[in-house]
């Protein structure tokens, strides 16, 4: 029995169809794109390929912590270099305040202080350090009702974090304000800082000032040193922008194909109407879907430097305030009397249309699995606590050697 030649060579017959060739080629490329996305986007919390179990594993922050504790061991043994005994200058430019809250079964203050100080050069320490810190701020009984403070520290005080935390923050802000520094860096104790955080912050404060002037603004509220990328994804309120962009992409594919099809009749065999329809209604939508699935942080990543971040900038782990704005903030906090620092600060900024800057990449990491806040939703054994999800994923990709070289080069340039 004789069989049709098409049955003897099914592959060749299949590939003769332009539609089949298009679909096969697209399937191969799409598979490669998905493989790339799985390998590239697993740290992106806004991505469908986000690998939670791997992404939250500490890497660089563990090295920061180890260096900080080694530094503290030297401090305890009085084996620190002599330049740590330099007193603060008469006219410091930056005040660094670190707030601390007692947590059950967790202590972060030593590690936080150690990581902030460990990587600084002798020159960087001199403006504001004495041994480890210039001053441990204690409550002044003439200014603070100590009995009220003790009441707020009891387990029964359910507004503990929202009220006492606010009192402490204002108290520390006032202490920094009294030094008349140009800027105040407010840190929470449950952070670690990368090697070079100080010179990066100092440089980018100048950038923030310059950008403010260039945009015609007369003031700005803060520079954010930490944020978590999980709130920087595709926002539902921006759907009109996404839809319009998707339609423009589809038009950018279909319009040239259609123009070629009708301007050059010889291409009709390769670009029949069915192929154009598949491009418009199947392949292009699949590409758009993969783009969004890859995650906004990956596909529309922010370049290194200073950026506006008027929304989704969580949390209050590290904020730098200009001296000129501290009085306004203190008045606002005292007016509110109750609340979390990050939420109150954003409320003030929104109400007054304030400019908020953020530093990318983050120079701090949040390491506090035990939160200072109480009654947080979602804290149960089968899921990460809310505090544990406050994480900067890019921070963990830092390289110890590269940061050390960057810091040394910066120091040599300043000398």
């Amino acid at each position: 029995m004789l069989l049709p030649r098409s049955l003897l060579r099914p592959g060749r017959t299949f590939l003769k169809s332009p539609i089949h060739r298009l679909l096969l080629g697209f399937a191969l490329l799409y598979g490669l794109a998905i493989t790339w996305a799985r390998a590239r986007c697993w740290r992106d919390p806004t991505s469908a390929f986000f690998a939670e179990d791997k992404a939250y594993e500490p890497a660089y922050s563990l090295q920061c912590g180890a260096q900080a504790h080694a530094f503290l061991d030297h401090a305890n043994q009085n084996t620190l270099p002599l330049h740590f005994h330099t007193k603060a200058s008469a006219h410091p430019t930056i005040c660094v305040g670190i707030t601390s809250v007692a947590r059950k079964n967790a202590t972060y203050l030593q590690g936080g202080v150690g990581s902030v100080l460990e990587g600084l050069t002798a020159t960087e320490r001199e403006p504001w350090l004495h041994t480890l810190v210039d001053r441990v701020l204690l409550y002044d009984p003439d200014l603070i009702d100590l009995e009220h403070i003790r009441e707020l520290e009891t387990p029964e005080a359910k507004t503990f974090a929202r009220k006492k935390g606010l009192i402490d923050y204002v108290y520390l802000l006032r202490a920094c304000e009294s030094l008349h520094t140009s800027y105040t860096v407010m840190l929470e104790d449950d952070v670690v800082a990368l090697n070079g955080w100080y010179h990066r912050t100092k440089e980018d404060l100048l950038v923030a000032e310059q950008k403010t002037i260039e945009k015609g603004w007369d003031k700005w509220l803060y520079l954010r040193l930490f944020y978590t990328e999980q709130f920087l994804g595709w926002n539902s309120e921006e759907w009109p922008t996404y839809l319009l962009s998707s339609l423009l992409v589809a038009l950018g594919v279909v319009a040239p194909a259609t123009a070629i099809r009708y301007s050059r009749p010889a291409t009709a065999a390769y670009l029949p109407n069915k192929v154009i329809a598949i491009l418009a209604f199947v392949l292009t939508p699949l590409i758009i879907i993969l783009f969004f699935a890859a995650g906004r942080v990956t596909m529309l990543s922010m370049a290194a430097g200073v950026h506006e971040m008027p929304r989704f900038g969580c949390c209050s782990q590290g904020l730098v305030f200009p001296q000129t704005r501290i009085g306004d903030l203190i008045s606002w906090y005292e007016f509110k009397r109750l609340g979390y620092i990050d939420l109150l600060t954003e409320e003030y900024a929104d109400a007054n249309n304030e400019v908020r800057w953020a530093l990318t990449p983050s120079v701090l990491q949040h390491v506090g699995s035990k939160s200072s806040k109480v009654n947080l939703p979602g804290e149960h054994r089968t899921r990460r606590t809310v505090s544990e999800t406050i994480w900067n994923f890019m921070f963990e990709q830092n390289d110890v050697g590269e940061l050390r070289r960057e810091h040394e080069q910066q120091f040599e340039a300043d000398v």
Side-chain angles (χ1 to χ4, degrees), residues 160-224:
F160 162 71
R162 293 194 297 158
K163 192 165 187 178
K164 183 178 180 297
L166 190 58
I167 291 173
D168 290 347
Y169 206 83
V170 169
Y171 199 66
L172 192 52
L173 275 177
R174 285 194 185 280
C176 279
E177 184 184 33
S178 67
L179 297 178
H180 304 291
T181 57
S182 299
Y183 303 100
T184 291
V185 180
M186 292 292 290
L187 305 178
E188 295 190 1
D189 60 352
D190 55 354
V191 298
V192 293
L194 60 76
N195 184 0
W197 75 270
Y198 180 70
H199 80 79
R200 286 193 186 183
T201 300
K202 192 165 64 170
E203 288 176 355
D204 286 302
L205 282 170
L206 298 178
V207 174
E209 296 283 6
Q210 184 61 35
K211 284 192 171 186
T212 302
I213 295 172
E214 290 174 355
K215 290 181 176 291
W217 300 323
D218 60 350
K219 60 183 179 179
W220 52 278
L221 186 62
Y222 64 65
L223 172 66
R224 179 178 293 280

Side-chain angles (χ1 to χ4, degrees), residues 69-85 125 131-132:
H69 287 291
F71 172 83
L72 291 173
D73 287 341
H74 284 294
N76 290 330
Q77 298 168 16
N78 293 320
T79 56
L80 286 173
L82 290 177
H83 56 247
F84 270 101
H85 299 278
R125 291 184 180 107
T131 308
L132 291 186

Side-chain angles (χ1 to χ4, degrees), residues 95-155:
C95 175
V96 178
I98 303 178
T99 61
S100 181
V101 175
R103 301 169 181 83
K104 186 177 181 180
N105 301 323
T107 302
Y108 299 119
L109 180 60
Q110 288 185 335
V113 172
S115 72
V116 168
L117 305 186
E118 187 274 336
L120 299 185
T121 65
T123 303
E124 289 171 338
R125 291 184 180 107
E126 289 176 0
W128 52 277
L129 297 179
H130 168 56
T131 308
L132 291 186
V133 295
D134 287 309
R135 179 182 175 191
V136 177
L137 193 64
L138 302 176
Y139 294 119
D140 184 342
D142 295 331
L143 301 175
I144 292 289
D145 183 349
L146 296 182
E147 187 60 35
H148 181 54
I149 293 296
R150 294 189 186 97
E151 292 174 357
L152 294 177
E153 291 178 337
T154 61

